[in-house]
Amino acid sequence: MENNKKTILSGIQPSGAMTLGTYLGALKNWAALSETYDCYFTIVDMHAITARQDPAELRKRTLSQLAQYIACGIDPQNNTLFIQSHVPAHAQLGWVLSCYTMFGELSRMTQFKDKSAKNAENINAGLFTYPSLMAADILLYQADLVPVGDDQKQHIELTRDVAVRFNGVYGDVFKLPEPYIPKIGARIMDLQSPTEKMSKSEISGGGCVLLLDSPDDIMRSFKRAKTDSETSVRHDPAEKPGVSNLMQIYSACTNKSFSAIEDEFAGKGYGDFKQSVGEVVVETLRPIREEALRLIADKSYLETIYAQGAQKAAATANRTLNKVYKKIGFITA
């Protein structure tokens, strides 16, 4: 029977611990998509090595991330979960697309500029051509939608540009993907630096909550969260970024509107508010943490899941790759 579902592809690097921001901005939404879409969710370990990684830690984080995907409700029976490096077509199409991506386009990528500034001692070619590999990740699966944070929209735009360029030469080969950005929880900020995105690479400042943090650690982080000199719980990202970020988190965990949250905490101080936000986060993450730790201890199960996922992903990816190879003149094996 023909599958008429639209296809979604998304992935996260195993370059650090999974955060509350990752869950509320991505994983929570992923879990809800499989009923409506044909979903491919990957762990993009090939992207992670644009920065130097400790090999043992990278392997550990990759397995832990797979366990956390599943613990967040992403059912491996209803979604294709796989590790990027297990599907060679990603690297193969990545090289082809790098030959159809212009130097000027890559030079303008905001993330390349930002990461180059932070890693001046390791500005490697992979960091520069990263968007071509990301385009391959998406186009291999003929994805209709790509769930991303708003800071990744530029990569989707470049993917579309490359696909249009390739299609213009060789005909209708690639589907043009659209970004899928949820309205709530799309961008959770650091608790200590609420104008900066909560990042797994910036966990030393105490403003990052991890999915595997203990309840005590979570409460400690929220009690220390930066607010402002007022006492009113009011959503105003420009004037009150810390309070607004806490409201965003509370809203994403409880499904309450900002106006309902303002009413709930009218006349109460920030201490009560931060306590309540911490408590709902603890209860939101408790089952995820417990299930993830159980799965991390069951390596044979995780091995089965990623092997099955790679087999299914490769079947789809290779169909696209073979079509591309024929179009550009390669003799396929």
Side-chain angles (χ1 to χ4, degrees):
M1 191 171 78
E2 187 177 353
N3 180 5
N4 293 319
K5 286 184 176 181
K6 289 188 175 182
T7 299
I8 276 183
L9 179 286
S10 198
I12 299 171
Q13 291 188 34
S15 55
M18 301 281 276
T19 71
L20 174 66
T22 304
Y23 173 66
L24 296 179
L27 298 177
K28 182 181 178 183
N29 298 297
W30 290 8
L33 294 172
S34 62
E35 296 298 321
T36 310
Y37 299 96
D38 188 13
C39 298
Y40 293 81
F41 296 127
T42 180
I43 298 168
V44 286
D45 54 343
M46 293 169 67
H47 287 296
I49 64 168
T50 58
R52 296 288 179 263
Q53 303 289 333
D54 176 88
E57 280 298 309
L58 181 59
R59 284 189 286 270
K60 180 180 177 181
R61 285 197 303 268
T62 300
L63 282 177
S64 175
Q65 187 163 310
L66 177 60
Q68 289 174 75
Y69 276 8
I70 299 168
C72 287
I74 303 167
D75 186 346
Q77 302 307 314
N78 297 327
N79 303 273
T80 303
L81 304 183
F82 68 101
I83 299 169
Q84 181 191 27
S85 63
H86 289 182
V87 182
H90 287 258
Q92 292 169 291
L93 184 61
W95 168 251
V96 172
L97 295 185
S98 71
C99 298
Y100 292 82
T101 309
M102 300 299 107
F103 184 90
E105 290 173 321
L106 295 174
S107 300
R108 290 190 291 273
M109 299 304 287
T110 303
Q111 283 211 336
F112 173 70
K113 295 175 183 177
D114 292 344
K115 291 185 178 181
S116 297
K118 293 179 180 177
N119 299 281
E121 74 289 348
N122 184 29
I123 306 175
N124 56 69
L127 187 63
F128 187 66
T129 60
Y130 173 108
S132 296
L133 179 57
M134 185 172 176
D137 298 337
I138 297 165
L139 298 177
L140 274 173
Y141 301 94
Q142 304 292 350
D144 296 280
L145 297 170
V146 184
V148 291
D150 54 9
D151 57 331
Q152 288 280 346
K153 284 179 66 176
Q154 189 183 33
H155 283 132
I156 308 304
E157 291 165 1
L158 179 60
T159 296
R160 288 173 57 89
D161 290 343
V162 172
V164 167
R165 182 175 298 128
F166 195 94
N167 289 351
V169 177
Y170 300 107
D172 187 17
V173 178
F174 296 124
K175 187 176 289 184
L176 302 186
E178 297 283 351
Y180 175 92
I181 301 174
K183 293 180 173 61
I184 295 295
R187 193 169 173 83
I188 301 300
M189 314 306 279
D190 188 282
L191 298 183
Q192 292 298 321
S193 303
T195 58
E196 302 290 331
K197 185 178 178 181
M198 186 179 285
S199 170
K200 57 191 174 184
S201 61
E202 303 290 342
I203 63 174
S204 59
C208 190
V209 174
L210 306 181
L211 297 192
L212 299 185
D213 276 349
S214 70
D216 286 347
D217 286 340
I218 293 171
M219 292 304 301
R220 193 175 300 113
S221 295
F222 279 99
K223 286 177 180 178
R224 295 174 177 173
K226 185 175 181 180
T227 49
D228 52 55
S229 58
E230 295 183 10
T231 57
S232 62
V233 175
R234 177 169 50 85
H235 191 258
D236 184 343
E239 297 296 325
K240 299 169 73 66
V243 171
S244 298
N245 185 44
L246 292 175
M247 290 181 70
Q248 174 102 302
I249 293 168
Y250 195 72
S251 174
C253 289
T254 64
N255 294 318
K256 293 181 180 180
S257 67
F258 293 142
S259 60
I261 296 169
E262 290 173 359
D263 290 342
E264 181 180 351
F265 293 97
K268 297 181 181 179
Y270 288 156
D272 289 338
F273 179 49
K274 291 194 282 188
Q275 176 78 19
S276 294
V277 179
E279 287 173 354
V280 298
V281 170
V282 165
E283 293 311 312
T284 297
L285 297 187
R286 188 187 301 279
I288 294 171
R289 176 175 180 268
E290 291 174 354
E291 178 65 0
L293 293 176
R294 186 188 71 79
L295 291 170
I296 289 168
D298 192 353
K299 288 187 171 55
S300 63
Y301 171 75
L302 294 177
E303 288 169 359
T304 299
I305 294 303
Y306 69 62
Q308 291 175 346
Q311 185 177 23
K312 184 178 177 183
T316 301
N318 289 337
R319 284 196 294 271
T320 299
L321 183 68
N322 289 337
K323 186 174 183 179
V324 169
Y325 273 15
K326 288 177 183 177
K327 290 288 187 181
I328 64 177
F330 287 176
I331 297 175
T332 55

